Amino acid sequence: MLFRSATLAISAALALSACKGGGAGAATKYIPDGAEFIGGMQLSKVVNEGGFKAELDKALEGEKKAKEAFDAMKGCNIDVMGLEQFVMGGTQKEDFAFVLVGAGVGVPANLTCINDKMKEMKGSEKDGIVVDGKKIKIDEGKDVGGFIVDDKTVVVASTSWTSAVEALVGGTGKSAVDGGLKDAVALADQSKHIWFAGKVPAEAAEGPAAGLTTAGGSMDMSGGGLGLSIKGKFDAADKATAAATAANAGFEQVKPMAGAMGLPQGMVDSVKIEASGDVITVSAKASKDDLEALKKKAMEGGLPGM
């Protein structure tokens, strides 16, 4: 199914960028309250400024269905690699919603074109995408449903969330960024290429992380490098301070081994772990040359765990 294939391909782009290394605006308001995590990326900027378009093209060559989906969408006036935003939220269960923002994404004729191309490719008469006003029926609405917000915006959600998303598209209801994820989203810089935020499960808030309630972060891929910032909010300031102290002590112990592990010294020296009030911040930077060195080392099998 087209939208699933496209989503998988976009997820692959996220994974690639993380291995190398958004101004989400109104798109976030279509993720309903109840979401446990949310994140987004400015795909066109990741591709063009992240400097890995060739790698993504190569990866897609090995994913036939995803490539066919990308090509079909481009033939119907929707360039996936030119998408302005991709925002997704969900729960640890099967609830999810994602928002696609880009030229032509919400034009009914383009969506019908994609459906026709998919039918032709599959040799089937069965419609996978049916546009009915502002509603989009996907695979007969068994697992997911979609909604057109405007010519540039489409929201797709699991059936468990279609009612909530429909309300948000209609201007009612409550979004996650105004509800349960408000504190978490405040920790993430949505102007960066990739950002993420969410609630921290109780089972993960143990040991030095005891009292950690929410976390958020971002990736800046300007110039082909990577700037990473992750923040965690605790239920008390003294816990954030204790966590930063423990993290710095642990980092100082492994820092001397960084060179032997193949990590560029500049990247290691850029790591900062700081506490301010009830928030701990961990940041690091890697230049384009640093990332190329890491990639080369990984391909040679020289990085532990890669």
Side-chain angles (χ1 to χ4, degrees):
M1 190 268 286
L2 176 63
F3 275 99
R4 287 178 182 171
S5 296
T7 305
L8 287 173
I10 292 170
S11 298
L14 273 167
L16 279 172
S17 61
C19 287
K20 277 199 62 175
T28 58
K29 72 180 183 181
Y30 301 117
I31 305 300
D33 195 23
E36 296 169 356
F37 63 84
I38 189 173
M41 68 184 298
Q42 299 179 63
L43 189 53
S44 61
K45 287 190 175 183
V46 169
V47 172
N48 297 317
E49 297 178 13
F52 69 98
K53 186 177 186 303
E55 294 180 45
L56 182 56
D57 287 341
K58 184 178 180 180
L60 285 175
E61 288 298 330
E63 295 292 337
K64 185 178 179 181
K65 289 185 178 180
K67 187 177 186 306
E68 288 178 347
F70 271 51
D71 290 344
M73 292 181 79
K74 194 167 185 178
C76 294
N77 306 312
I78 298 175
D79 182 5
V80 177
M81 290 298 99
L83 287 176
E84 297 171 23
Q85 297 173 35
F86 170 74
V87 174
M88 182 172 184
T91 68
Q92 295 186 62
K93 297 178 181 179
E94 296 184 355
D95 310 305
F96 75 86
F98 65 82
V99 186
L100 297 175
V101 181
V105 168
V107 175
N110 292 344
L111 297 175
T112 299
C113 171
I114 292 171
N115 175 66
D116 293 341
K117 283 186 177 292
M118 291 296 101
K119 287 167 60 177
E120 182 180 343
M121 290 162 55
K122 294 179 180 179
S124 171
E125 291 299 318
K126 184 178 179 181
D127 290 313
I129 301 173
V130 177
V131 179
D132 181 11
K134 290 292 185 179
K135 294 184 179 181
I136 306 170
K137 184 178 289 187
I138 303 171
D139 276 358
E140 299 183 343
K142 295 177 182 177
D143 301 310
V144 296
F147 302 92
I148 294 174
V149 178
D150 53 44
D151 285 353
K152 293 180 60 178
T153 311
V154 162
V155 188
V156 176
S158 59
T159 51
S160 58
W161 273 6
T162 50
S163 294
V165 168
E166 184 173 15
L168 289 169
V169 171
T172 61
K174 189 174 185 179
S175 69
V177 295
D178 291 324
L181 290 183
K182 186 174 182 178
D183 288 344
V185 171
L187 301 173
D189 186 345
Q190 296 179 45
S191 71
K192 301 303 181 183
H193 295 79
I194 298 173
W195 63 274
F196 45 89
K199 298 178 181 179
V200 176
E203 58 270 22
E206 299 178 347
L212 184 62
T213 59
T214 55
S218 62
M219 296 181 187
D220 185 340
M221 302 173 68
S222 300
L226 174 66
L228 176 66
S229 175
I230 300 176
K231 296 183 179 183
K233 184 178 178 64
F234 287 78
D235 57 15
D238 59 338
K239 294 180 181 179
T241 300
T245 300
N248 274 306
F251 179 66
E252 288 302 319
Q253 290 182 347
V254 301
K255 191 174 180 179
M257 298 182 286
M261 295 171 63
L263 299 178
Q265 194 59 46
M267 181 177 171
V268 176
D269 292 339
S270 74
V271 175
K272 292 183 179 181
I273 306 171
E274 305 169 313
S276 178
D278 57 2
V279 175
I280 182 175
T281 301
V282 179
S283 61
K285 295 181 179 180
S287 67
K288 182 177 180 180
D289 289 341
D290 288 339
L291 295 180
E292 288 297 327
L294 282 173
K295 179 181 176 182
K296 182 178 179 180
K297 194 73 174 179
M299 292 177 67
E300 295 172 348
L303 289 179
M306 295 189 72

